[in-house]
Amino acid sequence: MTTDFDFLRDEDGYFPEDIADLIINPDPVRRAHLVKVGRMVIKHKQYKRSWKWLEKTLQESGTGREAVAGLFCGVSGVGKSTILRQFTTKYGGPFPTRTTNVRPVIRISTPANPKLENIWMTMLVALSSPDLICSDAEAMRLSIQTQLQKQSVKMIIFDEFTHVVEDRSEKFTKRAVRGLKDLLSENHCQLIFAGTLELAGLDGLYDQVRRRNSGTVELRPIDWVEDNEDWMTTLEWIQTELPLKCEPGLPSVEIARKMHRASNGILDHVMKLLFRATAYAYDGDKEVITETTLADAFEHLRRGSKQANPFGRPSLPPLKPPKPKAKNEDSEVTGLSRRARQDTDTFSK
């Protein structure tokens, strides 16, 4: 049987290991453009301030001062996880030694609706010790303690820790934080709790967190008035890095203002918009991103939002979310009607 992708076979008739990647990305230039936009890390003023705070907290580990707990919070999309991933990539290792792999920093993605058991499991995976996962929570806690010491962990970052605050009871949150504090104190680790603004209430839940708090760093959307210089400087840097430039340029006051309206000052939204606009421009054989391309990208990403398109009328039809199903429609899974049972129904008699 011959397929459209037979040309990818080698001389022995086999497909290369990365065949799936080649199949979904047949145009290497398009892929290169999107990879460049998708992987851009924007080091704006708040990014640099957060990085310095993380470095300072890490460097204070092992100085004789007791371990501290810092809060790193902000609304969704402001770049918290991006900063934490970059920081862990630089300082996390592993750095091989003659006896073990040293991991100065590990990052934990807190599971939704967490329990202590699955928090311990996630920590063991981050420590590259999944073989130590078992059904005994206390045994896992002791294994974590051993691995933290063995791998010389100095800082543990709990990303999305809002799950513990929002998804569970206050009693569980106190118990979870107390367990983490005790575990980390034994190993003199610094602890960073990261998540949305609801994390600010963690200090009030547990006195030990408040007493050991090394400070709270809040990332926020860039304000058009107060942070205008930072916004314009950031857009100017983005413009120079884009594989397909914006015309007119991003730092022009008109476009900069429209970008702020479209993103609400959240750089993650800016990059998603530019990612889609780059794809549309390339697919349309354009050498630059125009306002019409940005309007199409905004329309693609709005998904039912009532906000006016700041870039004008799009040329492509909008993507609309599906309409909610009427209550009396049949279930897709069972085929049974969701209508209220009538007195004439057989089973109601």
Side-chain angles (χ1 to χ4, degrees), residues 23-239:
I23 289 174
I24 64 172
N25 295 285
D27 188 332
V29 177
R30 184 183 194 274
R31 174 174 169 77
H33 285 348
L34 296 183
V35 166
K36 185 170 185 179
V37 178
R39 294 183 179 177
M40 285 173 63
V41 177
I42 307 168
K43 299 181 180 180
H44 56 294
K45 187 179 295 183
Q46 293 185 62
Y47 180 104
K48 295 175 182 177
R49 177 170 59 90
S50 303
W51 189 279
K52 288 180 180 179
W53 175 72
L54 288 167
E55 281 190 326
K56 178 182 177 182
T57 304
L58 175 61
Q59 292 163 1
E60 290 176 353
S61 175
T63 60
R65 181 190 179 195
E66 65 179 0
V68 296
L71 304 183
F72 187 53
C73 56
V75 299
S76 298
V78 290
K80 301 182 301 295
S81 293
T82 298
I83 294 172
L84 296 177
R85 281 195 297 267
Q86 292 287 321
F87 190 81
T88 306
T89 297
K90 179 174 182 178
Y91 291 108
F95 304 107
T97 68
R98 291 185 179 274
T99 57
T100 187
N101 285 326
V102 174
R103 286 183 172 83
V105 178
I106 62 172
R107 173 177 163 267
I108 313 297
S109 184
T110 309
N113 194 23
K115 300 177 181 178
L116 279 176
E117 290 80 0
N118 57 24
I119 291 177
W120 298 150
M121 291 178 185
T122 308
M123 292 183 71
L124 286 170
V125 170
L127 289 163
S128 293
S129 304
D131 54 309
L132 298 176
I133 293 175
C134 64
S135 59
D136 188 333
E138 179 60 17
M140 287 193 289
R141 190 191 76 84
L142 293 174
S143 296
I144 291 171
Q145 179 179 332
T146 300
Q147 290 302 315
L148 290 174
Q149 294 173 344
K150 183 178 180 180
Q151 300 186 40
S152 300
V153 177
K154 306 300 182 186
M155 175 186 283
I156 299 183
I157 298 170
F158 280 92
D159 203 358
E160 305 296 343
F161 199 75
T162 314
H163 288 317
V164 174
V165 178
E166 287 187 329
D167 298 355
R168 300 302 303 272
S169 65
E170 180 178 319
K171 181 179 179 181
F172 174 83
T173 302
K174 289 182 178 179
R175 179 173 167 236
V177 175
R178 185 182 299 112
L180 292 170
K181 192 275 300 181
D182 292 342
L183 178 65
L184 300 172
S185 293
E186 294 168 358
N187 295 276
H188 307 289
C189 290
Q190 311 290 63
L191 180 60
I192 302 296
F193 295 115
T196 56
L197 296 174
E198 285 75 13
L199 273 186
L202 204 59
D203 280 356
L205 285 177
Y206 192 54
D207 290 341
Q208 288 290 338
V209 174
R210 181 169 60 250
R211 185 176 68 82
R212 293 180 174 223
N213 193 344
S214 66
T216 299
V217 172
E218 178 187 340
L219 266 68
R220 55 182 176 77
I222 299 177
D223 185 84
W224 173 254
V225 177
E226 295 181 9
D227 309 312
N228 185 265
E229 182 179 352
D230 190 30
W231 180 256
M232 300 299 286
T233 301
T234 300
L235 291 185
E236 183 177 1
W237 180 85
I238 294 173
Q239 173 78 5

